[in-house]
Each structure stands twice: as structure tokens, then as C-alpha cells.
Amino acid sequence: MRSTFLALLSLFAGTIVLPAQDVDRNDGPRFDDRPAAAGEWGFRPADGAAIEVNPPAFSWRPQEGAGWYQLQLTRHASFDRQPIYEHHTPRIRGAAPWTVLCLEEPLDAGRWYWRVRARRQDEAAPPTQYSEVRSFVVPGGVATFALPARGELLERIPARHPRLFVRPEQREALRTAAEGALQPARDALLARCRHALENPAPTDEPPKYPAGTVRGSEPWREIWWGNRRRTIAVLEPAADLAFAWWLTGDETYRDAAKQRLLAAAEWDPKGATGYRYNDEAGMPYAFHFARTYTFLHAALTDDERARCRDVLTIRGREIYAHLCPNHLWKPYSSHSNRAWHFLGEVGIALHGEVEEADDWTWFAANVFTAVYPVWSDADGGWHEGTAYWRSYLGRFTWWADVMREALGLDAYRKPFFSRVGDFALYTMPPGTRGGGFGDLCGRLDSGGGAALVGLFAQQADDPHWQWYASAHEARQGTGFVDFLRAARGAPAATPPIDLPTSKLFAGTGIAALNSSLLDGTDNVGIRFKSSPFGSQSHGYEAQNAFLLQAYGERLLIRSGRRDSYGSEHHREWMWSTRSVNSLTVDGQGQTPHSASAKGTITRFETTPHLDLVTGDATAAYGGRLELFERSLVFAKPDLLLVVDSVRAAEPRQLTWWFHAEQPFTLDPEDHAAHLEVGAATATLHFLGHDGLTLKQTDRFEPPPRPRIELVEHHLTVTPNEPLRSIELVTAIDIGRSRASTPARLVRVLEPDGQGLEATLHDGRILRVNQSDTGSLRAILLDVDGSPLAEVGARD
């Protein structure tokens, strides 16, 4: 490892190799080593962790009164042998110090140990004692992503404009390509620009909220979202026009871009489009303005440049003050997870022109390296769901392009991006309607994310993701970013016939079970959630909930429709356990919209014919249950068994909830409900308890606002008396409308516990039993009696 020592007052981190006898003077205040609470990033690398990217980024709890931090790193747990590497965080004038540290070079493979302490603003005050010693392992061959030193990184930014997405020296090559291979993309861009010229948006400043406007109300929403649209309508075409001028030299584009830019520069930077006043308008203003400014820089006078710099500086300061350093320790704010890289664009655009702009760029680079992505780990899932996966990662790809060109950093080296396309492939195979769990996912179709998956396929050279994009004939954009991306080649497309049809996204607690990845209209898909993220942010659905899709239809759904974020319907219905296919206790659900309402997927097995997933949602009920364990056994594609084990310290009134777009046909005597939606059917058989009451309603409590016309159906299944424990099996026979032979379900009692046997549509036999210890075992037999698959406990 390279060892350099930089002065403590430097704006850079420093590294020094210390003699062993100089490293253990721990007589100051104790270091606050409390584990991370809900919403906090935590100590990283965690003790005993095997890191996923080398070098790891270090993170620790902020310490009261800290001026800067010393971090020590060694190969020896006792810190009593050389070498010991010491790193110093930046000392930030007038601000709290950062609580992350990114190394400049990878570490050798093997086990390492680290600890950290705080130094005080007052140099005479004693430092804290060191934190606990934590260890981590660097596996051989792990992916590498190192952040260069601040000075080195900033030197990579071009001295001349433009600096975002392209470098000034690339223009001639792009002009040549625009007359050749990129001509179709150029023509599409220029057609877009001509449309903007012919249909100019009004450039008057958007309005503020009138006095007395209630936040979240319909009048508030109209201005809040309307101002975002007005801002984008002015500045997004301005960036395209400015780029078109830079590329072609056509002064018509230059003049139109300049008019829009300077008109927007007159808007109050802390007014209706200010970041803190309305971040949905403030964020697009910041990055679109920065892009237009950098492309148009050579066409602006000194006074015009100064005016633009003043506007961007005020807006950049406001974003930076909101994010830094709090976002480094508490990064689970949804909007902040795009604001930081928009700030990075502003910083790069103003490099060398506004002194503090380099702080913004350096901050954004550290956020990416140390605390991104927050809603997943390396498995490629996304806690906030498919809609926000598309939205936020689509915007992030802009920053990835900017980092590559301006900073020489390849974002796609992070392991997350080597698996990111799987989330769309598994949760929404081509032809799927409905995006699974997460806000705004109910009405999605699979084609909406195809272009983004195609972009990821280019970066990762993944043939299966390219197949996904090609299967949708993904429509390409026509903006300047799309022109630049058109130069990249795509891998050959390969259908995912060699992949398992089901996958667990462990970091987000989402299991996607499928009978086929090739065609959503020929697939039976099940989504199951039991998440370590809880129900925070836009991933608000309760734990141990599941969804059922079949043959292109949504059968069992998550109900409700967001009319406005945080509205009465959104908050009281959609954030409630009642809105999903899960369980309420004494009329109450899990702790709503909370990072503490966690679930855990404790088992996942997949085979070509049979899947098993088990989740534990006990902790999400705030102590009202001693156990809520749910197992799903999926005999592909005909039968889903939902096996619920519930236990409480005292009798509880339990209610199972199921939701659909169409009404259920109830058979109370047989404890069954039938559902038909388009081409698909499902019959639910409730087994294991004799006294059950089935009820159905189409009422929401409370309903969405009147502008939302929505009818959905809600089935409840309730034991006739409070219970301390119950084992309930919901056997769901899945088929095509007017085409299926119902599965024959036979309850049997085996010596080692309760069991079930089912003969499937094609004659295969599924046998499931649950032992006294609660372990589940499932065997699927072919029509000739030979075993096809086995999942679950082998004891």
C-alpha cells in the first residue's frame, strides 16, 4: 500500500505508517460505538464482513465535538505489530467532519483490522479513545474500485468547457461520427431540437404556493409538481439545444438555448424553484442549468457567465448544506439519493470558477464510493421497487456518464452493476403487467424499463439483459445523452434459457419465483417480501406479503393507488398491512412505514420444477406476536402453497388479507375462494382450521381522492375465535381461464406431522409435510412416480 502523509489541516485524507509503540494512547473520552439505529448507515466494513469491493469504504458513527478523525488499519488484531497504517479525514472549516474514508488503492487479500478515533476542534483537547476493533476479509479476486486522492481526481476535470458528458477535445470525432454511424441519432436529436424551437415553453418564473395552501392538498400538489414540469420544459430543451450548437455550430440552436438559459437565470434561486422550497423543481433546475451552461459557455459574455455562476452557486450551496455531512451517516432519504449526484454535476461545471464547487464534486465522489447504492447490496435488488429502480437508476446513469468523462471513474466496476439488470428480468419478464412491490408499481408494464436494461447490458456486456431489451423493442431516446450513448456497441442477445427461473434478492428481502423468464403471458410469477429494510420510504409494503401473477394477469395484488404522496389514502391504506396479502392481529398491522418493521428471508431454494422460500416477519408486529413465519412452496406452474405458522403469548384475533382487481367467488362451506382475471384463474383453499369466516368488500378505508377511479376487491379470512397459535395452509390452484383441470387436494396426516398431497393438472404429485419442529419439506413426483425435485428440510 502506498503511504503518504499529509498535514492535518489539509483538505485531503492522509496516510502514515506508525511504529507500534505510538498507536495506543487511549486515555480520552470513550468513542461512541453504538450500533446503527434505523436509518443509519452503520460501521462499515462490519465486523467479520467479507468485502464486495476493494478497497472498502470505511464508515463510523459521528462523534460529538469531533474536528477530524484518525483511522488505523493493520493485519494484527492487537495493533501491536507493524505496519499500522493511519489515515486522517479532511478537516472541514466551519462544518462537522465527514464520517467516511475512501482509500486510494486496493488492499492485499486476507484479514484486516480497523479502528477509529475522533480528534477535537480544540487541538489542546484530548482525542477520544479508539473505537472497537473490527475485522474484515478481502477475498482474492474481488472487484476493485478505488477513489483517487482529491487533488488527482479534480485535476482530471477539463480546464475548458464542456465538462459534462463530453470533453472539449472530443468534438471533432463526434462531428465526424455524426456524419456516419451516428447520423440516425444526430437526426433524431436535431428533430427534437426543431420541435423545441417550434414549441417554446413559457420562461416566466413559476409561482410560489399561495398563503394558506395546505401541504399535500390537491392545490399544493398542482403547484408542486407543476413547477417541476415547467422547469424541465424550459431547461431540458435548453441543454439539448446547447449541445446541438456545440456539435453542429448552428447558431439558431445557440441563440434559442441562450435565451432559455438567461431567462431561467432570472428566477429567484431560493424561490418557487429553490431546492429547499421545492426540491422536485430545484433538482432538475440545477443539473439542466449546469449542462446548458457548460455546453454554451463559449457563447456567453463574461457578464452572462457571472450571472449563471451566481445562480448555480446559490443553488449548489443550498443542496450541499442540506446533504453534507448528514447524508454520509443517514443516507436513507429518497430524494437525497439523486440530489447528491446532481450536485456533483454543478460542481464539475463550476470547477475552477467557484472555489467551493470542488468541495461539491469531492463530496459526490465520496458518496458514490462510500454510501451508494443505499437501497440494495451487491445482489442487484432495489428496496423502493421497480418504479423507483427505473427512475433513480435511470437518473444515476447520467452521473455514471459524467464521472467516466470528467473524472475518469467507471461506476460500473461496482459489483451491484454486474447484477442490476436481473431485477427487471426476474420481477418483470417480458409481457408482465404489474411491477411487484414498491410505490407506483401496480400499473407498470415490463416494457417501460427495457431501454434502461439495454444500457446496463452495454456496460456489463450481458447477453441476457440485451435479450430483455430486444424482446421489448425498447424505444431509444432522442436527447443529447442518447446521441452520445448511441456510439456504444451492444452485446449479442441470448435468451435466459440457461438461467434459473427464480432468484432471491437477499439484500432487499425480495424473492422472485417464476415458471418462465421468456414470456410474461406464459409465466406464473410470485413475488415475496420479507425485508431487512423494513417498510421505510417507497418500499412500504408489509413483511411476508406476496403477489401472484399468471399468464399476463395480476391475480393477487398489492391494493390501492397513490393519489398524492402521504395523502390519507396513501398513508392510512397503502402503508397499512391491510393493503397487501399478509396478516393483521387484533385489527392492527405491522408498524407502518418504518425501518424497524423488518422481515427476514430465512430460506430460499429453487429448482426447475419446485421452489421454496420462507420469511419471518415476527419483529414487524411490535411484540404482538411470538412468531409469524410464512413459507411458499411453488410447484411450477400449477400450485402455490402458502404455509403460515403464527404464535402469540395470548389469544389474538387473526385476519388474513387477499386483494384482487376482480371480485372473488366465495365458497364458505368449503373454505375456498375462486378468482378469474382475464386469461388466468386462481382458486384459494384454506386448510388447517375448520372455523373460518370469509368476507369480501370493494371498499377502501379510506378511499383515494375523487380524481382516482379505482375498484379493487379485498378478501378477509378470519378464524371464528381468537387463537394463540395456528398453522394455516392456503393452497392456490393456478390455471388458465376455461382451460385448466383443477388440482386435487387431499389432506393427510403423517406420523411426523401434518402433511398435504396434491395431484397437479398434468398428473404430477406434490407432497409436503411439516414436522413438529416446524421444518418444511416438499417433494415433487413425476407422473410415473419418479422424483423430480425436493426442497426444504432433510431431517
Side-chain angles (χ1 to χ4, degrees):
M1 178 187 296
R2 179 174 60 192
S3 60
T4 60
F5 179 72
L6 300 176
L8 300 183
L9 294 181
S10 169
L11 292 177
F12 308 90
T15 308
I16 188 170
V17 182
L18 299 178
Q21 64 269 24
D22 291 342
V23 300
D24 202 22
R25 297 169 182 169
N26 286 357
D27 53 356
R30 290 183 62 85
F31 190 93
D32 185 354
D33 262 309
R34 286 175 296 143
E40 295 177 340
W41 189 239
F43 287 85
R44 302 192 184 206
D47 192 29
I51 63 170
E52 297 171 330
V53 62
N54 185 20
F58 295 87
S59 169
W60 55 88
R61 177 176 292 283
Q63 304 295 302
E64 185 176 356
W68 48 281
Y69 293 94
Q70 290 175 291
L71 183 141
Q72 292 184 344
L73 185 64
T74 185
R75 304 300 294 265
H76 311 291
S78 60
F79 281 79
D80 61 356
R81 282 182 283 171
Q82 297 183 34
I84 296 171
Y85 302 95
E86 183 167 289
H87 303 263
H88 303 148
T89 65
R91 185 168 181 174
I92 310 296
R93 297 181 183 90
W98 298 359
T99 55
V100 300
L101 189 141
C102 303
L103 302 183
E104 300 169 25
E105 293 185 355
L107 300 175
D108 293 338
R111 184 170 296 277
W112 290 81
Y113 300 86
W114 71 281
R115 63 183 183 180
V116 64
R117 69 175 175 180
R119 300 300 298 261
R120 302 304 186 182
Q121 294 282 7
D122 180 1
E123 289 296 322
T128 66
Q129 298 177 25
Y130 282 106
S131 68
E132 297 173 5
V133 174
R134 293 172 170 85
S135 72
F136 62 92
V137 174
V138 180
V142 69
T144 60
F145 183 90
L147 183 65
R150 174 179 165 132
E152 178 186 343
L153 186 76
L154 296 175
E155 285 176 358
R156 299 177 179 181
I157 300 174
R160 296 183 296 114
H161 289 270
R163 298 165 175 164
L164 299 175
F165 296 93
V166 293
R167 301 177 69 89
E169 62 268 23
Q170 295 171 341
R171 180 164 60 177
E172 292 309 314
L174 285 170
R175 283 179 168 177
T176 300
E179 297 296 331
L182 295 186
Q183 184 175 343
R186 182 207 62 186
D187 291 346
L189 169 64
L190 297 185
R192 178 186 178 97
C193 289
R194 287 192 296 272
H195 182 269
L197 293 173
E198 296 164 2
N199 301 274
T203 57
D204 53 310
E205 183 170 4
K208 298 183 77 170
Y209 306 116
T213 302
V214 176
R215 181 178 177 83
S217 66
E218 287 295 290
W220 175 90
R221 181 181 179 276
E222 183 177 347
I223 295 173
W224 167 71
W225 199 252
N227 285 359
R228 169 188 167 82
R229 288 175 172 169
R230 291 183 60 171
T231 299
I232 293 173
V234 172
L235 286 173
E236 185 177 52
D240 285 328
L241 290 163
F243 179 86
W245 166 71
W246 179 79
L247 179 70
T248 68
D250 189 326
E251 294 180 356
T252 304
Y253 301 138
R254 178 200 65 188
D255 294 344
K258 188 172 180 178
Q259 184 272 329
R260 287 162 170 79
L261 179 74
L262 296 179
E266 296 304 312
W267 300 357
D268 180 358
K270 292 191 175 183
T273 62
Y275 173 75
R276 296 299 282 158
Y277 189 84
N278 179 355
D279 63 354
E280 284 290 8
M283 287 188 285
Y285 184 109
F287 68 80
H288 284 308
F289 194 99
R291 295 171 186 180
T292 308
Y293 171 75
T294 197
F295 294 140
L296 207 58
H297 189 270
L300 300 173
T301 68
D302 288 345
D303 288 344
E304 289 166 344
R305 292 173 186 171
R307 177 60 183 149
C308 292
R309 286 196 297 268
D310 289 345
V311 168
L312 276 180
T313 300
I314 293 170
R315 291 176 179 270
R317 284 173 180 165
E318 195 170 43
I319 300 172
Y320 186 62
H322 176 238
L323 297 177
C324 182
N326 187 61
H327 186 77
L328 299 172
W329 180 247
K330 295 182 177 181
Y332 295 102
S333 167
S334 185
H335 286 198
S336 294
N337 276 293
R338 47 189 157 115
W340 66 263
H341 56 80
F342 299 153
L343 176 66
E345 290 196 45
V346 175
I348 291 172
L350 295 181
H351 170 66
E353 301 172 19
V354 175
E355 182 179 3
E356 61 209 272
D358 286 347
D359 294 341
W360 308 339
T361 303
W362 182 237
F363 174 73
N366 275 266
V367 170
F368 173 72
T369 306
V371 292
Y372 189 83
V374 302
W375 298 121
S376 182
D377 58 10
D379 62 23
W382 201 258
H383 165 70
E384 292 189 305
T386 312
Y388 280 80
W389 178 90
R390 293 178 182 179
S391 173
Y392 276 63
L393 284 174
R395 293 179 176 99
F396 170 79
T397 63
W398 300 334
W399 176 242
D401 289 353
V402 168
M403 281 202 302
R404 183 187 62 247
E405 298 302 330
L407 303 178
L409 297 178
D410 183 0
Y412 297 102
R413 291 182 64 87
K414 276 199 167 185
F416 170 79
F417 291 102
S418 69
R419 298 161 196 158
V420 63
D422 282 354
F423 195 59
L425 177 64
Y426 279 91
T427 61
M428 298 189 73
T432 298
R433 185 171 69 90
F437 292 109
D439 214 355
L440 301 177
C441 286
R443 295 186 295 166
L444 294 183
D445 65 76
S446 59
L452 179 59
V453 176
L455 174 61
F456 290 141
Q458 290 178 321
Q459 300 297 336
D461 195 32
D462 190 292
H464 298 125
W465 302 349
Q466 185 61 40
W467 169 86
Y468 186 93
S470 301
H472 292 88
E473 298 181 355
R475 179 177 176 271
Q476 299 303 313
T478 58
F480 79 86
V481 175
D482 305 293
F483 167 81
L484 292 171
R485 289 174 173 174
R488 304 174 194 167
T494 301
I497 56 177
D498 56 330
L499 297 182
T501 58
S502 302
K503 180 171 180 174
L504 172 65
F505 296 93
T508 50
I510 298 291
L513 316 181
N514 298 286
S515 60
S516 172
L517 295 177
L518 300 179
D519 182 357
T521 63
D522 193 41
N523 177 46
V524 174
I526 297 142
R527 312 293 172 252
F528 179 72
K529 174 183 178 180
S530 204
S531 174
F533 282 97
S535 54
Q536 64 181 310
S537 191
H538 295 285
Y540 52 71
E541 291 94 346
Q543 313 308 326
N544 279 9
F546 75 98
L547 307 171
L548 174 61
Q549 303 159 325
Y551 309 118
E553 306 291 354
R554 300 169 68 217
L555 286 171
L556 296 176
I557 66 174
R558 25 92 75 203
S559 66
R561 184 178 302 169
R562 189 175 105 182
D563 43 15
S564 185
Y565 183 84
S567 71
E568 188 179 15
H569 172 71
H570 196 226
R571 185 178 63 253
E572 301 297 331
W573 178 262
M574 298 184 72
W575 294 357
S576 164
T577 307
R578 296 174 300 155
S579 72
V580 296
N581 305 307
S582 193
L583 174 74
T584 58
V585 180
D586 294 334
Q588 299 180 59
Q590 300 170 16
T591 305
H593 207 231
S594 171
S596 63
K598 299 179 185 294
T600 304
I601 290 184
T602 59
R603 189 164 202 144
F604 174 81
E605 296 181 51
T606 182
T607 76
H609 303 282
L610 189 64
D611 290 345
L612 169 67
V613 61
T614 299
D616 187 343
T618 308
Y621 286 87
R624 282 175 284 125
L625 291 179
E626 293 181 344
L627 178 69
F628 175 29
E629 184 178 81
R630 168 168 279 182
S631 294
L632 272 58
V633 179
F634 180 31
K636 305 174 186 181
D638 300 335
L639 184 66
L640 172 65
L641 299 183
V642 183
V643 183
D644 291 332
S645 299
V646 185
R647 188 173 67 245
E650 57 188 69
R652 300 283 191 179
Q653 188 63 67
L654 306 173
T655 301
W656 278 259
W657 292 77
F658 302 89
H659 306 271
E661 294 178 316
Q662 298 297 325
F664 296 87
T665 301
L666 304 186
D667 185 349
E669 291 187 5
D670 286 342
H671 293 167
H674 181 74
L675 177 64
E676 186 167 333
V677 181
T681 67
T683 302
L684 289 67
H685 304 268
F686 304 103
L687 311 172
H689 191 81
D690 291 333
L692 297 173
T693 297
L694 280 61
K695 293 183 178 180
Q696 180 176 202
T697 181
D698 61 1
R699 294 173 58 87
F700 295 102
E701 298 179 1
R705 292 174 180 174
R707 62 181 169 80
I708 301 294
E709 297 182 2
L710 180 67
V711 177
E712 292 175 339
H713 303 269
H714 320 295
L715 169 66
T716 56
V717 179
T718 306
N720 294 337
E721 68 285 326
L723 300 170
R724 291 185 60 183
S725 65
I726 185 174
E727 304 284 337
L728 186 71
V729 177
T730 304
I732 305 177
D733 176 21
I734 307 158
R736 298 180 188 267
S737 299
R738 298 175 296 278
S740 297
T741 302
R744 299 190 299 275
L745 298 169
V746 182
R747 289 188 61 201
V748 296
L749 192 63
E750 298 181 353
D752 58 344
Q754 184 174 341
L756 180 145
E757 180 178 292
T759 302
L760 306 184
H761 301 171
D762 58 4
R764 294 174 300 158
I765 295 175
L766 175 68
R767 291 175 179 166
V768 180
N769 77 281
Q770 189 171 26
S771 71
D772 292 337
T773 62
S775 57
L776 201 68
R777 183 187 184 203
I779 301 175
L780 185 65
L781 304 177
D782 207 344
V783 292
D784 61 2
S786 61
L788 280 174
E790 180 177 351
V791 293
R794 306 302 198 272
D795 48 65

